[in-house]
Amino acid sequence: MSRNRLVPGVEVVAVPGRGLAVRTAEGEFLSVRTRHADENALLSLLSGDHAAPVDGELRRVLRGFEEAGYLADAVPAPRWPDARRGVRLLGDPALTGPLAAHLTALGAEPRTTPVAPAASPPTTEDLLEGDPAAVVWCLDGPVPDGLWDAADRLPQHGVAWLRCHREGRQAYVEPLAAAPGDVTSAHVRARRLAATPAHRELAAYWNGPRTSGEPVRLAVPAAALLAALLADDLARWATGAPDTTGLPARRRLRRVDLRTLTVTEHAVLPVPAVAPMPTVASVPAAVETPTAATAVPAPSVAPTPTAVPTPAAVPTPRKDG
C-alpha cells in the first residue's frame, strides 16, 4: 500500500475481548472486523512501520481504512509562504501580544503598530504602509462607528483583513476578508442589526456613551483563546489549508463567551450593494396645483384638460327594472 499511516485525529485501540476499534476524528468508535488478521502487524502498519509483513487479509483491511479516508501519506506541516509573512497588528496589547507570539511560532513576521485612542482613524494608505500581506486589528472593547471603514477597503488592494473586538462579556472574531466581495466589518454590523429586534439599542451601544460599573478585565486565558483563533484563521489563509469542519472561515462569525470560553459559530454573508432610490421629477412651476379633490400626486408632465377621460355616467336603476 502506498498509504498506510493514520491521518491526524484518527486512532486505533485494542478493546479487551472485542478486537480493534477505530476512534474517528469526530470522536466516534467503529469496530474493525477482520478474518483472523494479525492485529499486531496491523497496528504496526497503521503506525507507519513499513517493515511489518503484509498478507492478503492485511491488504484488504488497509484498503478499507484507505477507502474510509483514515489513511494518508505522511506529509510535512504546511510552511508559511514568504510572500505572506508580513502581518501588521493593531489594537490593544492584551490581544496583539499573544497573537504576535502565535504568528511568530507559525513562521509569520508580525509587526505591531500602536494606535492612539484619541487619534483619528488611519486611512487605507496608512494601513498599506510597509506593504503588509495581512492586517489584523484587535479591540478590547466595542468598535467605534467608522473606525474600520478604511480597513474594509484592504481586500481591494490584495491585503487580507482580520479583526476581533469585545462587547462586555462577549467577544466577536469576524471572518477573514481576503478578496473583493468578502465579508467586511460593515457587513457584519449590518447583519447583526438586521438579526435583532433591539437594533436601536445595539446601535446606541456601539456609538456610546456607555455607563458601566467595574471594568471587564480580559483574562489571560480568554486573550490566549482569541489570539489562537485569529492565528489559526490567518495561518489557514496563508498556507491554503482547507476548512475540514464547521462553516467556511470567510463566511463565519464566531462569538466567544468570555465567562465560559465557549465558542459558537454563525453564518454571515456579504451585504449586496443597494441600488439608489430613483429621483422623482418635479412638477413644472407653471402648472397649477391640483384641487383638493385629486388625492393622487400629479405626474411629472401635466396633461391637458382634453387628455383626462370623462368618467362614464352611471345609469340610475329603474324600479320596473
Side-chain angles (χ1 to χ4, degrees):
M1 303 292 292
S2 61
R3 300 191 300 172
N4 62 346
R5 191 176 182 88
L6 292 170
V7 298
V10 175
E11 299 169 292
V12 176
V13 58
V15 184
R18 297 184 61 87
L20 300 180
V22 177
R23 187 184 188 278
T24 68
E26 291 75 26
E28 298 177 337
F29 285 96
L30 305 176
S31 297
V32 179
R33 298 288 182 240
T34 66
R35 303 189 190 113
H36 307 292
D38 186 341
E39 293 184 355
N40 291 329
L42 177 59
L43 293 174
S44 297
L45 289 169
L46 294 176
S47 64
D49 183 6
H50 295 276
V54 181
D55 56 18
E57 177 61 11
L58 285 178
R59 287 191 178 91
R60 185 188 70 83
V61 176
L62 289 174
R63 190 175 300 110
F65 273 81
E66 185 173 12
E67 291 174 354
Y70 299 149
L71 297 185
D73 295 319
V75 295
R79 181 173 171 270
W80 201 294
D82 294 338
R84 293 182 171 179
R85 287 198 178 192
V87 179
R88 187 171 187 180
L89 306 181
L90 300 96
D92 292 286
L95 290 165
T96 58
L99 177 57
H102 286 317
L103 294 177
T104 301
L106 290 170
E109 296 178 353
R111 177 168 57 92
T112 303
T113 304
V115 178
S120 58
T123 65
T124 306
E125 290 71 22
D126 295 334
L127 297 172
L128 292 173
E129 184 181 352
D131 195 24
V135 172
V136 187
W137 203 328
C138 308
L139 288 181
D140 186 15
V143 186
D145 191 34
L147 180 65
W148 285 349
D149 289 351
D152 276 348
R153 295 189 286 272
L154 288 172
Q156 302 174 19
H157 297 269
V159 177
W161 163 225
L162 185 60
R163 61 252 171 225
C164 80
H165 69 280
R166 179 182 62 80
E167 297 177 7
R169 293 289 188 181
Q170 294 77 39
Y172 293 87
V173 179
E174 300 193 4
L176 182 142
D182 280 350
V183 179
T184 65
S185 68
H187 295 160
V188 172
R189 290 170 81 90
R191 293 293 187 186
R192 288 186 60 193
L193 288 174
T196 175
H199 55 89
R200 295 179 183 86
E201 290 80 359
L202 181 57
Y205 173 77
W206 286 339
N207 295 329
R210 298 174 295 273
T211 300
S212 59
E214 285 292 326
V216 176
R217 304 294 184 185
L218 189 61
V220 173
L225 173 60
L226 293 173
L229 294 174
L230 293 167
D232 183 70
D233 282 351
L234 207 59
R236 291 182 182 277
W237 161 78
T239 61
D243 294 312
T244 56
T245 59
L247 298 168
R250 287 159 74 172
R251 297 292 185 268
R252 174 186 62 201
L253 172 66
R254 285 184 291 201
R255 181 180 182 271
V256 181
D257 189 323
L258 300 177
R259 299 163 297 183
T260 61
L261 301 186
T262 304
V263 181
T264 55
E265 296 185 350
H266 306 271
V268 60
L269 297 174
V271 178
V274 179
M277 291 290 291
T279 57
V280 180
S282 59
V283 180
V287 179
E288 295 182 359
T289 304
T291 61
T294 57
V296 180
S300 57
V301 179
T304 59
T306 56
V308 180
T310 304
V314 180
T316 304
R318 298 172 54 189
K319 290 185 179 181
D320 56 1

